Amino acid sequence: MSEPDAASVARVVDAFVAARSPGVAIAGDTQLFALGLLDSVALVELAAALEDGFDITVADAELVPANFASRDQIVRYVVGKRAG
Amino acid sequence: MSPDGLVDRIALGARAAERARPGLTDARVPFAARWACLAEAGVMALRFPPAAGGTGAGAAGLAHALASLGRDTTDRGLLVAVVAHSLACGSALVRFGTTPVLARWAERVVAGTCVAAFAVTEPGSGSDAYALACRAVRDGDGYRLDGDKVHVVSAARADVYVVLARTAPDAGILGLSAFAIPRDRAGLSTRAVAHRGLVGAEMGSIALRACPAREDERIGADGVGGRLFEVALAEERAVILAPLVGAMEAQLVRTAARCATAIRGGKPIAEHSAAGARLGAMAQRATAARAWLERAARALDDPASAKDELRAASAMAKVAMSEAIRDNAQDAARLAGAAGLEVDGPCAVELDDAQTAGLISGPDDVLRELVARDLVGRLERQRS
């Protein structure tokens, strides 16, 4: 698999959010969980989707605000994981 | 050896139960001695891998051990306390703890040389952990905790409390963190609360008033508390009713024996169609409950289990077992006749235990809703 670019990760996140909060447009820094757009179930499902889509393993201990609070943070997290 | 080692893991659980059994037969023996007996028999260590100080029997081995002990001991509440200690607190510390002080607590929890309590439920939020109000605010290099927790198993007896608190008020589910607070910490007080059912679980409340917590007592990173809670509860819910599932088997034998020997209208009770149908239903439910327990425990142990499926799977199993326990307790009492009304008789204890079983580790109604949400969510995603 070629290294994912930020745009491909962002698309996955946008689609995931759109499926759960239809009609809501998000920006890169939109606080997905603070605003209630995603809940605890969605957090784990999003992690699973990222694992499947980008061949990474998301440890439970990594499900933290620094990695998942916003789309930008998720993109940085996934790209960083792939880069090793 | 079976392909996934299941037979061997269950055998480990069975051996631990046999070692513990003699020390649990007399309810007059003090708690500390009975807890030590379970620890020395290796019951608390069953769930965890050798790398964590455990014996590698997994949830399946622990479930088997607790069901076996629950069949013979009347103090099922004590065994429920073992589940809260091992599967809620132990899982939290072993899987998320990274500091030396947390490693020492994890070691003691796995060995059973302390008592750990999981403190999440609050008066204002019930089992909705994400609505909890207990705050942990930064105070110098550490934190200061303020809040109240209720329905805490082993509340007045624990040596360490795994406390879930809000560290970021505006971060939603990512704003929770967990802390390991020792019982002698200033600002922490406890209160036992007399309750019916599973009395040995000794549920009570704790109060935190400007209770200090060090940075190295925070379990995992800041904000991982929500995920820690989900993992811990998926573990606990799958196994917490194991002692009562075992007790159902003894209840069934007792009830069947009475129905086979007590004569009414010239024939044994069991040969009257209504009573026979009730007894048959009891047998079916006891078998089904055992199947649910084993299924849920195996799912926890299976490394291929999807993380996002375990929450609903454990919840569904817990509700199924709870309903079977409740219905069998009611049927056993009916089939016992007047003896079922004795205050100190087995039926009264079983009815009370069943009532508590429906509430502990999350009320059944809430867990059913969780299962429904998961199901609907999956269907919507399949369609999209």
Side-chain angles (χ1 to χ4, degrees):
Chain A
M1 171 185 280
S2 60
E3 293 310 313
D5 60 8
S8 62
V9 179
R11 278 194 296 274
V12 169
V13 176
D14 285 345
F16 187 89
V17 174
R20 283 151 189 79
S21 296
V24 175
I26 64 169
D29 61 355
T30 301
Q31 297 299 295
L32 303 173
F33 296 92
L35 294 175
L37 297 175
L38 299 178
D39 62 13
S40 59
V41 174
L43 175 62
V44 181
E45 291 174 342
L46 174 58
L50 295 171
E51 287 180 329
D52 289 342
F54 300 104
D55 195 26
I56 60 173
T57 299
V58 179
D60 283 328
E62 294 173 333
L63 293 169
V64 293
N67 296 334
F68 281 87
S70 69
R71 187 181 68 197
D72 286 349
Q73 285 163 297
I74 295 168
V75 167
R76 278 197 292 275
Y77 169 72
V78 173
V79 172
K81 286 282 276 188
R82 286 286 305 173
Chain B
M1 178 179 288
S2 58
D4 61 355
L6 179 63
V7 170
D8 301 291
R9 289 187 282 116
I10 288 176
L12 280 171
R15 286 197 291 272
E18 289 317 301
R19 288 192 296 268
R21 200 180 308 280
L24 301 179
T25 54
D26 187 349
R28 295 167 300 179
V29 170
F31 172 93
R34 286 181 284 129
W35 187 268
C37 168
L38 288 160
E40 285 159 15
V43 172
M44 286 75 156
L46 289 169
R47 171 71 182 99
F48 302 100
T55 53
L62 177 62
H64 184 89
L66 293 176
S68 174
L69 291 169
R71 203 170 51 234
D72 298 332
T73 179
T74 55
D75 191 359
R76 268 85 69 172
L78 171 69
L79 301 176
V80 162
V82 168
V83 177
H85 162 96
S86 266
L87 294 199
C89 300
S91 294
L93 288 163
V94 169
R95 294 173 65 161
F96 292 87
T98 56
T99 65
V101 66
L102 295 175
R104 284 194 291 276
W105 277 123
E107 185 182 323
R108 292 187 63 191
V109 169
V110 171
T113 54
C114 70
V115 178
F118 200 68
V120 173
T121 306
E122 297 183 358
S125 58
S127 57
D128 182 5
Y130 298 109
L132 64 82
C134 180
R135 289 294 312 279
V137 299
R138 278 289 186 181
D139 187 12
D141 292 338
Y143 297 82
R144 192 181 68 246
L145 277 68
D146 284 274
D148 295 276
K149 302 292 187 182
V150 295
H151 309 314
V152 178
V153 172
S154 306
R157 186 184 288 287
D159 299 292
V160 64
Y161 299 85
V162 174
V163 178
L164 199 65
R166 186 165 295 285
T167 39
D170 301 323
I173 64 149
L174 295 179
L176 301 179
S177 300
F179 299 86
I181 312 291
R183 73 171 290 114
D184 59 358
R185 181 65 49 85
L188 186 151
S189 61
T190 68
R191 188 170 69 93
V193 174
H195 59 87
R196 297 176 65 162
L198 298 173
V199 171
E202 298 183 330
M203 286 187 281
S205 58
I206 71 169
L208 302 134
R209 300 288 181 263
C211 179
R214 298 195 310 264
E215 174 88 17
D216 64 354
E217 291 174 326
R218 193 190 63 226
I219 308 172
D222 203 315
V224 85
R227 182 59 193 149
L228 179 151
F229 168 74
E230 296 289 349
V231 168
L233 266 291
E235 293 263 329
E236 183 184 88
R237 282 171 185 155
V239 181
I240 198 159
L241 297 184
L244 297 185
V245 170
M248 288 172 82
E249 293 163 13
Q251 176 191 63
L252 180 64
V253 169
R254 183 188 80 230
T255 305
R258 179 181 189 265
C259 290
T261 56
I263 306 298
R264 300 289 184 273
K267 61 184 177 181
I269 291 175
E271 292 182 21
H272 291 267
S273 61
R278 215 178 271 284
L279 187 63
M282 286 183 71
Q284 182 183 348
R285 289 187 213 110
T287 304
R290 189 66 184 235
W292 274 109
L293 174 65
E294 291 172 356
R295 180 178 189 266
R298 289 182 71 169
L300 288 183
D301 290 338
D302 186 352
S305 288
K307 242 187 312 223
D308 60 338
E309 292 176 354
L310 284 176
R311 184 171 108 149
S314 289
M316 195 185 313
K318 193 263 177 179
V319 172
M321 285 185 269
S322 170
E323 290 177 337
I325 290 163
R326 175 200 66 204
D327 291 345
N328 273 23
Q330 289 172 353
D331 278 346
R334 287 196 179 95
L335 290 171
L341 300 175
E342 293 173 7
V343 169
D344 297 325
C347 292
V349 173
E350 288 160 3
L351 285 165
D352 280 345
D353 282 354
Q355 178 75 5
T356 304
L359 293 169
I360 202 166
S361 203
D364 286 355
D365 291 347
V366 171
L367 299 186
R368 278 192 212 94
E369 182 185 335
L370 187 161
V371 170
R373 280 192 54 212
D374 177 77
L375 175 63
V376 170
R378 289 180 188 282
L379 290 173
E380 286 176 348
R381 286 188 293 283
Q382 284 171 7
R383 278 198 296 265
S384 65

